[in-house]
């Protein structure tokens, strides 16, 4: 159950005394470790995964409530985060690849999503990914939850635990930034791919039929197509009752024959004596959901029998491998035939060019041929542009990043000529992300000629033309994290720095967010070192560790000491590291944390600068900022 | 802001150490900036770095300032009681540097 994703659930595990050894970074001597960035990359993969709505019948909800959940959706939610299995995925060239894991995002039923959103739009007039205020609230609560553990780690002098806890704060921030199930016309990533209809074996066939009809007749906005959502039945039965299973299979056959919809059976054991396991809270729940879960409807410690957990995973694996992925592949192939191939073919190009230049009335031509509805700011679901975008999104979900990139590029041109700004910005964002996701190393040419203009223009469009601050923030932070994951820190870190700096300067985050971003600047600077220096430093750290382990009574020989000579400790790495910059940003973060309200955070920030500032006269002067922050925070930690 | 100055200058050393191998000039020009502040650097022949944080860009006068400062620094080095890399405690030195600053900056 515990996966690498759950770093942001650390306080949950610690509060309940669950060991978290596999989440804590093992190697102490890891110089310039990029672990958190790699975690962020994984989070991006999971956050941009197929969205599945979960509708459940009253009987199914009753089953879930036996375990303390409010609905079946809540029960399923944590399972979507990380499903380990060798999934076979065919890419656009029909070459099969295996993915080691897959994620899906479970959301509320479509009609609920739409109505909640409508209310919010009415309230605020503009769709934003999240509400600044609730985001800050959530982060503040997280820090409060983590503080006692941090203090313990500090007391026990457990540096690894402390750094993991500390970095989990940014990961939490990043996760919440990514997880949103907001349905917008310009971001079809969040349009559901499938819909689970969960019914219980006790439900009559008519109930299933009613739910399916209800789903099919959901009133969706005209940028969505209900036909693009795959309905699937999940029939839940109680393993304890033997007749239930038979009933479930009968119902399954009936549904298949009559409704032409696939159904899966899921056995749940209500046996109270069975060995049960604690469910960790879902990682990718949106900010509002998480606040709700913690404040209004606390579930407490949700537990499920181990056998049920494995059977849920088994069913999910089945559904994804046998239905979801083939469905997406098929749709991608159809759309490819419909939209991409004609545009790429020679005749198609010739036709579009001739239409452009030899049209009868060039002035009107553009407006007539455009599928863009300016008033609503959206395309119809059948429009070529939205299909291209959706095709790109779905291939992104199936991790075919190169194909996704080329499709995004195609869609981008259309959006630009239609002046569909929000669509354009989101498309550019995704193009840049898909380029970075697919690469392990990026030449400076691609970076300067392709990625930078894409992100620049997307950021500008989001901010100035659409006023979508949150989207702008999300896009640049994802891009900067992805830059960090690239192999060569020396060439990619400046780009990452640039974007985080932009996020800070734009003032699009709250107070805590700002401090976290300042800390992030420091982190990026700390990985900003050339690979040579990295090798030298990690070797040094290893040697140090060895020396500590070995006996210390080895006689230390003293070299002849020339007092006139300046001692240089780091000859090999001069000019190849940016540790002093990192220290500066940590200091700035410490200043931003405010030593009175968050003394612990300040102290941790300052402690990490100790290697750089320790023994420096200018820093240890009584009146210096460093010293003052240190004394104030120490005083308040004690209080 | 003033309290941050020494830290900003200290952090620019990273950049000085990177670019000092890439140019044959002693005057490194503006090497870094931080929220509207510029940092100029100068490398003495003994690999001692002069750093200046300033708000307006004026390369030529900063170059002259650094050159004069270098002359002054060499005179300090000539002092048999001064050890390389120690703090310079001479009040006359301080006064003269202030004089240069008035003259050029």
């Amino acid at each position: 159950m515990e996966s690498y994703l759950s770093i942001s659930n650390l306080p949950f595990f610690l509060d309940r005394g669950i060991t978290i050894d596999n989440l804590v970074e093992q190697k102490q001597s890891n110089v310039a470790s990029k672990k958190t960035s790699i975690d962020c990359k994984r989070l991006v993969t999971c956050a941009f995964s197929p969205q599945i709505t979960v509708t459940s019948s009253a009987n199914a909800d009753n089953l879930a409530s036996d375990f303390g959940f409010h609905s079946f959706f809540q029960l399923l939610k944590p399972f979507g985060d990380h499903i380990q299995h060798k999934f076979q995925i065919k890419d656009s060239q029909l070459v099969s690849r295996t993915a080691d894991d897959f994620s899906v995002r479970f959301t509320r039923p479509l009609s609920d999503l739409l109505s909640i959103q409508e209310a919010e739009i009415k309230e605020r007039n503009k769709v934003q990914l999240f509400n600044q205020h609730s985001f800050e609230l959530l982060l503040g609560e997280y820090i409060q939850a983590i503080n006692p553990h941090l203090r313990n780690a500090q007391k026990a002098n457990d540096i690894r635990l402390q750094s993991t806890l500390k970095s989990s704060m940014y990961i939490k921030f990043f996760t919440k930034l990514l997880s949103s199930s907001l349905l917008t016309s310009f971001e079809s990533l969040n349009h559901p791919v499938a819909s689970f209809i969960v019914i219980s074996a006790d439900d009559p066939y008519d109930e299933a039929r009613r739910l399916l009809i209800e789903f099919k007749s959901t009133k969706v906005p005209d940028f969505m197509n209900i036909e693009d959502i795959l309905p699937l039945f999940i029939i839940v039965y109680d393993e304890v009752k033997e007749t239930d299973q038979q009933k479930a299979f009968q119902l399954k056959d009936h549904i298949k024959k009559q409704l032409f919809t696939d159904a899966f059976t899921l056995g749940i054991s209500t046996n109270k004596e069975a060995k049960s396991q604690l469910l960790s809270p879902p990682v990718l729940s949106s900010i509002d959901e998480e606040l709700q879960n913690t404040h209004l409807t606390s579930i407490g410690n949700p537990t499920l029998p181990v056998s049920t957990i494995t059977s849920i995973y088994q069913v999910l694996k089945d559904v994804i491998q046998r239905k979801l992925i083939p469905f997406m592949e098929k749709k991608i192939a159809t759309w490819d035939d419909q939209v991409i191939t004609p545009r790429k073919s020679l005749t198609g190009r010739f036709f579009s060019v001739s239409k452009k230049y030899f049209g009868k009335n060039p002035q009107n031509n553009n407006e007539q041929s455009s599928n863009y509805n300016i008033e609503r700011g959206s395309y119809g679901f059948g429009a070529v542009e939205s299909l291209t975008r959706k095709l790109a999104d779905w291939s992104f979900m199936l991790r075919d990043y190169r194909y996704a990139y080329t499709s995004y590029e195609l869609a981008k041109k259309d959006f630009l000529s239609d002046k569909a700004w929000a669509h354009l910005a989101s498309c550019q964002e995704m193009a840049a992300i898909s380029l970075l996701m697919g690469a392990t190393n990026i030449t400076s040419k691609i970076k300067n000629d392709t990625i930078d203009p894409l992100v620049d223009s997307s950021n500008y469009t989001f901010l100035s033309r659409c006023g979508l601050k949150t989207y702008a923030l999300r896009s640049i932070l994802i891009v900067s994290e992805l830059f960090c994951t690239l192999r060569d820190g020396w060439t990619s870190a400046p780009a990452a720095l640039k974007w985080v700096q932009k996020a800070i300067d734009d003032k699009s985050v709250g107070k805590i967010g700002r401090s976290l971003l300042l800390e992030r600047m420091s982190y990026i600077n700390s990985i900003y070192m050339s690979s040579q220096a990295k090798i030298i430093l990690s070797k040094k750290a290893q040697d140090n560790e060895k020396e500590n382990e070995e006996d210390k009574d080895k006689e230390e020989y003293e070299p002849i000491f020339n007092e006139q000579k300046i001692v240089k400790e780091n000859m090999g790495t001069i000019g190849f590291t940016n540790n002093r910059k990192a220290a500066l940003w940590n200091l700035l973060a410490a200043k931003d944390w405010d030593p009175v309200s968050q003394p612990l955070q300040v102290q941790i920030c300052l402690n990490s600068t100790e290697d750089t500032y320790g023994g420096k006269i200018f820093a240890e002067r009584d009146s210096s900022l460093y010293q003052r922050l240190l004394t104030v925070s120490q005083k308040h930690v004690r209080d | 802001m003033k309290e941050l100055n020494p830290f900003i200058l200290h952090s620019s050393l990273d950049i000085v150490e990177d670019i000092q191998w890439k140019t044959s000039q002693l005057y490194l020009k503006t090497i870094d900036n931080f929220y509207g502040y510029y940092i100029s650097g100068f490398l003495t022949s003994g690999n001692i770095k002069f750093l200046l944080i300033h708000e307006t860009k004026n390369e030529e006068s900063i170059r002259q300032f650094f050159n004069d400062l270098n002359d002054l620094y060499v005179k300090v080095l000539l002092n048999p009681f001064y050890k390389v890399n120690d703090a310079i405690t001479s009040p006359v030195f301080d006064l003269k540097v202030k004089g240069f600053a008035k003259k050029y900056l």
Side-chain angles (χ1 to χ4, degrees), chain A residues 87-105:
Chain A
F87 289 103
Q88 300 284 330
I89 305 173
K90 281 202 211 85
D91 64 6
S92 58
Q93 317 296 253
L94 297 176
V95 182
S96 188
R97 286 171 301 119
T98 26
D100 287 336
D101 52 5
F102 203 78
S103 334
V104 289
R105 291 175 292 160

Side-chain angles (χ1 to χ4, degrees), chain A residues 121-157:
Chain A
I121 292 172
K122 256 182 209 159
E123 201 179 300
R124 277 187 264 139
N125 264 327
K126 219 163 226 150
V127 261
Q128 294 287 6
L129 273 178
F130 53 83
N131 182 341
Q132 195 73 64
H133 180 68
S134 29
F135 197 18
E136 279 291 296
L137 190 69
L138 186 81
L139 286 174
E141 274 170 14
Y142 185 74
I143 291 174
Q144 247 169 23
I146 213 170
N147 264 345
H149 301 297
L150 263 176
R151 202 163 290 149
N152 287 341
Q154 210 179 19
K155 264 184 205 144
N157 212 3

Side-chain angles (χ1 to χ4, degrees), chain A residues 62-78:
Chain A
N62 279 343
L63 256 176
S65 65
D66 280 352
F67 297 103
F69 294 96
H70 298 284
S71 65
F72 213 84
F73 154 69
Q74 262 183 336
L75 189 150
L76 274 182
K77 180 83 189 165

Side-chain angles (χ1 to χ4, degrees), chain A residues 490 501 504-505 563-564 566 568 574-575 577-582 584-585 587-588 591 612-613 616 618-619 624-626 628, chain B residues 1 3-4 6-8 10-15 17-18 20-22 32-35 46-49 82-85 87:
Chain A
W490 186 250
Q501 176 96 63
I504 297 172
D505 296 347
E563 275 191 12
Q564 298 301 318
I566 301 172
K568 290 263 179 210
I574 284 184
T577 58
N578 262 18
N579 289 338
R580 283 176 278 213
K581 285 256 166 208
L584 171 68
W585 284 104
L587 183 74
L588 287 173
K591 189 175 162 225
T612 316
Y613 289 146
K616 295 281 186 299
F618 75 92
S624 85
L625 180 64
Y626 175 75
R628 266 189 295 141
Chain B
M1 190 62 208
E3 54 190 11
L4 273 176
F7 295 95
I8 295 168
H10 178 252
S11 75
S12 319
L13 282 175
D14 275 337
I15 294 171
E17 285 182 353
D18 181 26
Q20 73 177 88
W21 315 108
K22 293 175 184 158
D32 198 5
N33 66 332
F34 185 87
Y35 286 105
N47 199 15
I48 297 292
K49 286 111 186 161
Y82 175 74
K83 222 168 69 192
V84 182
N85 217 20

Side-chain angles (χ1 to χ4, degrees), chain A residues 537-552:
Chain A
L537 285 178
S538 26
K539 210 164 166 213
K540 224 182 225 173
Q542 267 172 14
D543 288 349
N544 276 349
E545 228 166 77
K546 259 185 219 153
E547 246 169 58
N548 286 344
E549 283 163 20
E550 281 169 18
D551 286 338
K552 276 189 177 168

Side-chain angles (χ1 to χ4, degrees), chain A residues 78-121:
Chain A
F79 290 91
D81 289 334
H82 182 233
I83 303 161
Q84 263 181 324
H85 181 64
K86 296 254 181 272
F87 289 103
Q88 300 284 330
I89 305 173
K90 281 202 211 85
D91 64 6
S92 58
Q93 317 296 253
L94 297 176
V95 182
S96 188
R97 286 171 301 119
T98 26
D100 287 336
D101 52 5
F102 203 78
S103 334
V104 289
R105 291 175 292 160
F106 289 113
T107 59
R108 285 167 199 290
L110 197 54
S111 48
D112 287 10
L113 277 182
L114 288 168
S115 61
I116 292 172
Q117 213 172 302
E118 222 165 81
E120 278 202 10
I121 292 172

Side-chain angles (χ1 to χ4, degrees), chain A residues 203-402:
Chain A
D203 281 323
Y205 162 76
D206 286 337
E207 174 75 4
R209 208 175 74 98
R210 188 186 64 79
L211 282 170
L212 185 67
I213 290 171
E214 208 174 76
F215 162 73
K216 287 271 184 196
S217 56
T218 315
K219 238 186 121 218
V220 289
D222 56 0
F223 53 81
M224 277 170 65
N225 186 358
I226 204 87
E227 294 296 316
D228 289 345
I229 304 173
L230 176 75
L232 285 167
F233 277 102
I234 306 283
I235 304 165
V236 198
Y237 64 88
D238 192 346
E239 269 177 348
V240 182
K241 294 183 216 156
E242 271 181 23
T243 48
D244 248 29
Q245 189 170 359
Q246 277 179 359
K247 265 200 281 181
F249 280 115
Q250 275 169 9
L251 190 60
K252 178 180 161 187
D253 287 340
H254 200 160
I255 288 172
K256 264 191 182 163
K257 269 182 205 147
Q258 297 287 322
L259 297 173
F260 306 109
T261 309
D262 283 299
F264 291 82
T265 51
L266 167 65
I268 278 183
S269 150
T270 48
N271 189 357
K272 290 277 186 272
E273 279 109 65
K275 194 167 158 264
S276 61
Q277 196 184 348
L278 198 63
L279 276 186
S280 62
V283 176
L284 288 164
S285 54
S286 71
I287 295 168
D288 291 337
E289 261 172 12
E290 184 147 340
L291 280 176
Q292 254 173 37
N293 281 348
T294 45
H295 288 283
L296 299 175
T297 54
S298 180
I299 308 177
N301 295 353
T303 50
L304 277 183
V306 179
S307 63
T308 308
I309 290 179
T310 41
S311 61
I312 291 179
Y313 271 127
Q314 194 53 47
V315 168
L316 285 181
K317 279 174 203 166
D318 254 20
V319 171
I320 291 169
Q321 182 66 71
R322 281 173 46 208
K323 290 294 156 212
L324 192 72
I325 293 177
F327 172 72
M328 289 172 80
E329 283 165 353
K330 219 169 75 195
K331 279 279 178 189
I332 289 175
T334 333
W335 290 332
D336 185 79
D337 279 349
Q338 258 177 34
V339 268
I340 306 280
T341 327
R343 293 176 71 177
K344 277 190 177 163
S345 70
L346 195 63
T347 41
R349 275 185 198 173
F350 181 71
F351 190 64
S352 70
V353 168
S354 62
K355 215 166 72 178
K356 211 172 182 180
Y357 292 106
F358 307 110
K360 272 174 193 166
N361 40 353
Q363 282 93 5
N364 285 342
N365 203 7
N366 240 351
E367 285 152 39
Q368 279 175 0
S369 67
S370 163
N371 291 319
Y372 185 52
N373 184 337
I374 298 174
E375 195 197 336
R376 289 204 194 104
S378 64
Y379 289 89
F381 63 80
V384 180
E385 292 84 357
S386 53
L387 284 186
T388 320
R389 169 73 213 246
K390 207 156 183 183
L391 164 76
D393 281 341
W394 285 29
S395 34
F396 187 93
M397 289 174 195
L398 292 183
R399 300 172 193 187
D400 188 355
Y401 299 118
R402 187 174 299 172

